[in-house]
Amino acid sequence: MLDACLNPELAAEITCQPVRRHGVDAAVFFSDIMIPLALAGVEVTITAGVGPVFEQPVNSVAEVNRLVERRILDASAVEKAVALAVAELGEDTPVIGFAGAPFTLAAYLVEGRASRDHLAARTLMHADPGAWDALMTWCARLTGDFIAAQVRAGASAAQLFDSWAGSLSPADYRARVAPYSALALSIARRAVSPTTGAPAPLIHFG
């Protein structure tokens, strides 16, 4: 899965296939919420029947501090894939960019894999607000930059997808998650479309 996402020609082909086969109104860029983490050098595998798995969960201050030093150094494979899909589909079929929201990234990182209750993530959230802030700020910047790269490559719009937002209480979501999604979107808005010269419309989906 991760290899396919980082192969520009293959990712562009998978992006375009639903449009060719079904005549849908837009193409959603073929990616995975783990790709920004992989581009930042975080070791992650996609395991059949399990999903993303991290050998070393990020659930201590020391691990958070080590993680937040990482950055996306090269997003050229993603940028090329978007550009190829945009070129093939033309002006009539927009490409919609895609990225995971900060809480979804953080939940996987802290739990080490998918979880039904996200107990470890919620525990870190309440037990160490400073570490939680550092982790979520890092996730927001990473995924915001990832969306921005897609917009600069020609995506007409982009979606920030928060898979696990529904596991939180409204109070926790508003205080400890929503501000970081807002940060990710504000970073994504700094990128301008090569066709319009303006920021792309952004969708937040929880």
Short mmCIF file of all heavy atoms in Angstrom, two decimals, residues 29 75-87 95 97 145-156 191-195 200:
data_model
loop_
_atom_site.label_atom_id
_atom_site.label_comp_id
_atom_site.label_asym_id
_atom_site.label_seq_id
_atom_site.Cartn_x
_atom_site.Cartn_y
_atom_site.Cartn_z
N PHE A 29 -7.47 11.91 -4.70
CA PHE A 29 -6.08 11.48 -4.84
C PHE A 29 -5.83 10.22 -4.03
O PHE A 29 -6.15 10.15 -2.85
CB PHE A 29 -5.14 12.60 -4.38
CG PHE A 29 -3.69 12.22 -4.43
CD1 PHE A 29 -3.12 11.78 -5.62
CD2 PHE A 29 -2.90 12.32 -3.30
CE1 PHE A 29 -1.78 11.41 -5.67
CE2 PHE A 29 -1.56 11.96 -3.35
CZ PHE A 29 -0.99 11.51 -4.53
N ALA A 75 8.72 15.62 -0.73
CA ALA A 75 7.36 15.21 -1.10
C ALA A 75 7.21 15.11 -2.61
O ALA A 75 6.10 15.13 -3.14
CB ALA A 75 6.34 16.19 -0.54
N SER A 76 8.32 14.98 -3.32
CA SER A 76 8.28 15.04 -4.79
C SER A 76 7.47 13.90 -5.39
O SER A 76 6.81 14.08 -6.43
CB SER A 76 9.69 15.04 -5.37
OG SER A 76 10.42 13.89 -4.97
N ALA A 77 7.48 12.71 -4.76
CA ALA A 77 6.70 11.60 -5.32
C ALA A 77 5.21 11.90 -5.28
O ALA A 77 4.47 11.62 -6.24
CB ALA A 77 7.00 10.32 -4.53
N VAL A 78 4.76 12.53 -4.20
CA VAL A 78 3.35 12.90 -4.07
C VAL A 78 3.01 14.02 -5.05
O VAL A 78 1.97 13.98 -5.72
CB VAL A 78 3.05 13.33 -2.62
CG1 VAL A 78 1.66 13.92 -2.49
CG2 VAL A 78 3.21 12.14 -1.68
N GLU A 79 3.87 15.01 -5.12
CA GLU A 79 3.62 16.13 -6.03
C GLU A 79 3.55 15.64 -7.48
O GLU A 79 2.69 16.07 -8.25
CB GLU A 79 4.71 17.17 -5.86
CG GLU A 79 4.67 17.85 -4.51
CD GLU A 79 5.93 18.65 -4.21
OE1 GLU A 79 6.91 18.53 -4.99
OE2 GLU A 79 5.95 19.39 -3.21
N LYS A 80 4.45 14.74 -7.86
CA LYS A 80 4.44 14.22 -9.22
C LYS A 80 3.18 13.42 -9.50
O LYS A 80 2.58 13.54 -10.58
CB LYS A 80 5.68 13.35 -9.47
CG LYS A 80 5.78 12.84 -10.90
CD LYS A 80 7.04 12.03 -11.13
CE LYS A 80 7.10 11.52 -12.57
NZ LYS A 80 8.31 10.67 -12.80
N ALA A 81 2.75 12.61 -8.53
CA ALA A 81 1.54 11.81 -8.71
C ALA A 81 0.32 12.70 -8.93
O ALA A 81 -0.50 12.45 -9.82
CB ALA A 81 1.33 10.90 -7.51
N VAL A 82 0.18 13.75 -8.11
CA VAL A 82 -0.94 14.68 -8.27
C VAL A 82 -0.87 15.34 -9.65
O VAL A 82 -1.87 15.43 -10.37
CB VAL A 82 -0.95 15.74 -7.16
CG1 VAL A 82 -1.99 16.82 -7.45
CG2 VAL A 82 -1.23 15.09 -5.81
N ALA A 83 0.30 15.82 -10.02
CA ALA A 83 0.46 16.50 -11.31
C ALA A 83 0.11 15.59 -12.48
O ALA A 83 -0.53 16.02 -13.45
CB ALA A 83 1.89 17.04 -11.44
N LEU A 84 0.52 14.33 -12.40
CA LEU A 84 0.20 13.38 -13.46
C LEU A 84 -1.31 13.16 -13.56
O LEU A 84 -1.88 13.11 -14.66
CB LEU A 84 0.90 12.04 -13.20
CG LEU A 84 2.41 12.00 -13.44
CD1 LEU A 84 2.99 10.69 -12.91
CD2 LEU A 84 2.73 12.17 -14.92
N ALA A 85 -1.97 13.01 -12.41
CA ALA A 85 -3.43 12.80 -12.42
C ALA A 85 -4.15 14.02 -12.95
O ALA A 85 -5.09 13.91 -13.74
CB ALA A 85 -3.90 12.46 -11.01
N VAL A 86 -3.72 15.20 -12.53
CA VAL A 86 -4.33 16.45 -13.00
C VAL A 86 -4.17 16.57 -14.51
O VAL A 86 -5.12 16.94 -15.23
CB VAL A 86 -3.71 17.66 -12.27
CG1 VAL A 86 -4.13 18.96 -12.95
CG2 VAL A 86 -4.11 17.66 -10.81
N ALA A 87 -2.99 16.26 -15.02
CA ALA A 87 -2.74 16.37 -16.46
C ALA A 87 -3.61 15.40 -17.24
O ALA A 87 -4.14 15.74 -18.31
CB ALA A 87 -1.26 16.12 -16.74
N VAL A 95 -9.12 17.12 -9.20
CA VAL A 95 -8.51 16.16 -8.27
C VAL A 95 -8.61 16.73 -6.86
O VAL A 95 -8.26 17.88 -6.62
CB VAL A 95 -7.04 15.90 -8.63
CG1 VAL A 95 -6.36 15.04 -7.56
CG2 VAL A 95 -6.93 15.22 -9.99
N GLY A 97 -7.38 16.54 -3.07
CA GLY A 97 -6.30 16.06 -2.22
C GLY A 97 -6.84 15.43 -0.95
O GLY A 97 -8.03 15.54 -0.62
N ASP A 145 1.37 20.53 5.79
CA ASP A 145 2.37 20.59 4.71
C ASP A 145 2.06 19.57 3.62
O ASP A 145 2.28 19.84 2.42
CB ASP A 145 3.77 20.31 5.27
CG ASP A 145 4.32 21.47 6.09
OD1 ASP A 145 3.81 22.60 5.96
OD2 ASP A 145 5.28 21.23 6.87
N PHE A 146 1.55 18.42 4.01
CA PHE A 146 1.23 17.37 3.04
C PHE A 146 0.09 17.80 2.12
O PHE A 146 0.14 17.60 0.90
CB PHE A 146 0.86 16.09 3.79
CG PHE A 146 0.63 14.89 2.93
CD1 PHE A 146 1.64 14.38 2.15
CD2 PHE A 146 -0.61 14.27 2.91
CE1 PHE A 146 1.44 13.26 1.35
CE2 PHE A 146 -0.83 13.15 2.12
CZ PHE A 146 0.19 12.63 1.34
N ILE A 147 -0.94 18.43 2.69
CA ILE A 147 -2.01 18.97 1.85
C ILE A 147 -1.48 20.08 0.96
O ILE A 147 -1.81 20.15 -0.24
CB ILE A 147 -3.17 19.50 2.72
CG1 ILE A 147 -3.90 18.34 3.40
CG2 ILE A 147 -4.16 20.29 1.87
CD1 ILE A 147 -5.01 18.78 4.34
N ALA A 148 -0.66 20.96 1.52
CA ALA A 148 -0.12 22.07 0.75
C ALA A 148 0.65 21.57 -0.47
O ALA A 148 0.56 22.16 -1.57
CB ALA A 148 0.77 22.94 1.63
N ALA A 149 1.40 20.50 -0.31
CA ALA A 149 2.15 19.94 -1.44
C ALA A 149 1.21 19.49 -2.55
O ALA A 149 1.48 19.69 -3.75
CB ALA A 149 3.02 18.77 -0.96
N GLN A 150 0.07 18.90 -2.17
CA GLN A 150 -0.91 18.45 -3.18
C GLN A 150 -1.55 19.63 -3.90
O GLN A 150 -1.77 19.59 -5.11
CB GLN A 150 -1.97 17.59 -2.50
CG GLN A 150 -1.41 16.29 -1.92
CD GLN A 150 -2.44 15.54 -1.09
OE1 GLN A 150 -3.49 15.16 -1.59
NE2 GLN A 150 -2.15 15.34 0.18
N VAL A 151 -1.84 20.69 -3.15
CA VAL A 151 -2.45 21.88 -3.77
C VAL A 151 -1.46 22.53 -4.73
O VAL A 151 -1.82 22.90 -5.86
CB VAL A 151 -2.89 22.87 -2.68
CG1 VAL A 151 -3.33 24.20 -3.31
CG2 VAL A 151 -4.02 22.28 -1.85
N ARG A 152 -0.21 22.65 -4.32
CA ARG A 152 0.79 23.26 -5.20
C ARG A 152 0.99 22.43 -6.47
O ARG A 152 1.34 22.97 -7.53
CB ARG A 152 2.13 23.40 -4.47
CG ARG A 152 2.17 24.52 -3.45
CD ARG A 152 3.59 24.82 -3.00
NE ARG A 152 4.20 23.66 -2.36
CZ ARG A 152 4.14 23.43 -1.05
NH1 ARG A 152 3.50 24.28 -0.24
NH2 ARG A 152 4.73 22.36 -0.55
N ALA A 153 0.73 21.13 -6.39
CA ALA A 153 0.88 20.26 -7.55
C ALA A 153 -0.35 20.26 -8.45
O ALA A 153 -0.33 19.65 -9.53
CB ALA A 153 1.18 18.83 -7.10
N GLY A 154 -1.43 20.93 -8.02
CA GLY A 154 -2.60 21.06 -8.89
C GLY A 154 -3.91 20.55 -8.35
O GLY A 154 -4.93 20.62 -9.05
N ALA A 155 -3.95 20.00 -7.12
CA ALA A 155 -5.24 19.57 -6.56
C ALA A 155 -6.18 20.76 -6.45
O ALA A 155 -5.79 21.83 -6.00
CB ALA A 155 -5.03 18.94 -5.19
N SER A 156 -7.42 20.57 -6.88
CA SER A 156 -8.39 21.67 -6.90
C SER A 156 -9.02 21.94 -5.55
O SER A 156 -9.56 23.02 -5.30
CB SER A 156 -9.51 21.35 -7.91
OG SER A 156 -8.98 21.27 -9.21
N ALA A 191 -0.78 27.41 0.70
CA ALA A 191 -0.44 26.98 -0.66
C ALA A 191 -1.45 27.54 -1.64
O ALA A 191 -2.65 27.64 -1.34
CB ALA A 191 -0.44 25.45 -0.73
N VAL A 192 -0.97 27.90 -2.82
CA VAL A 192 -1.88 28.42 -3.85
C VAL A 192 -1.90 27.46 -5.03
O VAL A 192 -0.90 26.82 -5.35
CB VAL A 192 -1.49 29.83 -4.30
CG1 VAL A 192 -1.61 30.82 -3.15
CG2 VAL A 192 -0.09 29.86 -4.89
N SER A 193 -3.04 27.39 -5.66
CA SER A 193 -3.22 26.55 -6.84
C SER A 193 -2.45 27.12 -8.02
O SER A 193 -2.49 28.34 -8.25
CB SER A 193 -4.70 26.46 -7.18
OG SER A 193 -4.89 25.98 -8.49
N PRO A 194 -1.78 26.28 -8.81
CA PRO A 194 -1.07 26.79 -9.99
C PRO A 194 -2.02 27.28 -11.08
O PRO A 194 -1.61 28.05 -11.95
CB PRO A 194 -0.27 25.57 -10.47
CG PRO A 194 -1.00 24.39 -9.93
CD PRO A 194 -1.60 24.83 -8.62
N THR A 195 -3.29 26.87 -11.02
CA THR A 195 -4.23 27.30 -12.05
C THR A 195 -5.00 28.57 -11.65
O THR A 195 -5.25 29.43 -12.49
CB THR A 195 -5.24 26.19 -12.37
OG1 THR A 195 -5.87 25.77 -11.15
CG2 THR A 195 -4.54 25.00 -13.00
N ALA A 200 -6.76 26.60 -2.26
CA ALA A 200 -7.81 25.67 -2.68
C ALA A 200 -8.89 25.56 -1.60
O ALA A 200 -8.59 25.72 -0.40
CB ALA A 200 -7.21 24.30 -2.93
#
